[in-house]
Amino acid sequence: IVAAAWELFYEKGYDSVGVQEIVDTAGITKPTMYYYFKSKYGLLESILERFFEPYLERFEAAAQYRGDISATLHRACKEQLNMALENRKMYIFALSLMYSARENDTYQAVRPYMIKINEIIVKIFHDASEKLTNMNGRQQQFASGFEGVVNYYLMYYLETDCQDTDIDQISMNLVKQFMYGIYS
């Protein structure tokens, strides 16, 4: 059920897929789907949970501040790049949900994960605030800027089939670019 729904959501968009199409593709009945997921929205939540829960654990571990902001951002960025490359379709899908209307079901489903990712990144800047003397309470601003740089690059990278696969070098370049911006 999850695999059938996921492929349909990715190919057509969540709002364009009906429950009947999901059950037909999965080869089940509507009562079976409703028994396991209660609704199409419940199915979306299950898909997102299966994707984000393991990623968030890995991301949080990579983003532990150990006294060096550049090294911490590099580890976090690398983890995000790896996750996007391992789950290309899901990453693109999740980004599309992130930019949907705030009252839309899709945004509401992805919002808790986006908040958690943001909190992890804000914590990096909070923990590094003693060493980043120009922070002045701008942890959220720095976190948003960092997320923006990484997400925009990933959208470009994933949509253009870039050939550069040296994740370590890509990550170092993105962090260097970001750090240059906050120090200038």
Side-chain angles (χ1 to χ4, degrees):
I1 301 169
V2 169
W6 155 236
E7 282 300 320
L8 290 169
F9 291 163
Y10 177 76
E11 290 172 10
K12 299 180 177 188
Y14 174 82
D15 291 327
S16 297
V17 176
V19 171
Q20 189 62 52
E21 188 174 8
I22 295 168
V23 299
D24 288 348
T25 302
I28 60 167
T29 63
K30 280 185 182 181
T32 301
M33 193 203 95
Y34 289 127
Y35 174 79
Y36 289 105
F37 298 103
K38 308 295 182 232
S39 65
K40 183 173 106 170
Y41 182 75
L43 186 51
L44 175 64
E45 287 179 313
S46 179
I47 290 167
L48 293 173
E49 181 179 333
R50 289 174 191 217
F51 170 69
F52 275 109
E53 290 302 325
Y55 164 68
L56 285 172
E57 287 179 29
R58 289 173 29 193
F59 186 68
E60 193 163 22
Q64 293 299 310
Y65 180 70
R66 298 180 189 135
D68 182 336
I69 185 69
S70 292
T72 304
L73 291 175
H74 176 62
R75 286 191 312 275
C77 184
K78 256 178 67 171
E79 186 58 45
Q80 195 162 352
L81 292 168
N82 282 321
M83 182 272 304
L85 292 176
E86 290 167 11
N87 302 286
R88 179 188 182 118
K89 287 182 177 180
M90 185 51 137
Y91 190 83
I92 292 169
F93 180 66
L95 280 178
S96 74
L97 300 182
M98 218 172 82
Y99 292 106
S100 57
R102 299 297 175 249
E103 300 303 318
N104 192 305
D105 284 347
T106 57
Y107 177 78
Q108 295 302 317
V110 80
R111 187 173 187 272
Y113 302 107
M114 297 300 110
I115 289 171
K116 181 63 177 167
I117 290 167
N118 181 262
E119 288 171 349
I120 292 168
I121 298 171
V122 167
K123 185 176 182 327
I124 294 170
F125 290 105
H126 176 73
D127 292 349
S129 61
E130 286 184 23
K131 291 193 177 187
L132 285 173
T133 56
N134 66 339
M135 183 90 61
N136 298 329
R138 298 185 297 166
Q139 290 88 340
Q140 179 61 59
Q141 180 182 347
F142 284 14
S144 297
F146 183 70
E147 284 180 272
V149 166
V150 174
N151 280 333
Y152 187 81
Y153 178 79
L154 279 166
M155 284 190 314
Y156 166 76
Y157 184 88
L158 296 172
E159 288 298 319
T160 59
D161 295 322
C162 288
Q163 300 301 311
D164 187 2
T165 57
D166 185 350
I167 299 304
D168 196 57
Q169 189 61 49
I170 293 169
S171 176
M172 284 193 308
N173 290 343
L174 287 172
V175 170
K176 187 185 296 183
Q177 174 186 348
F178 176 78
M179 294 303 290
Y180 178 78
I182 66 172
Y183 282 126
S184 61

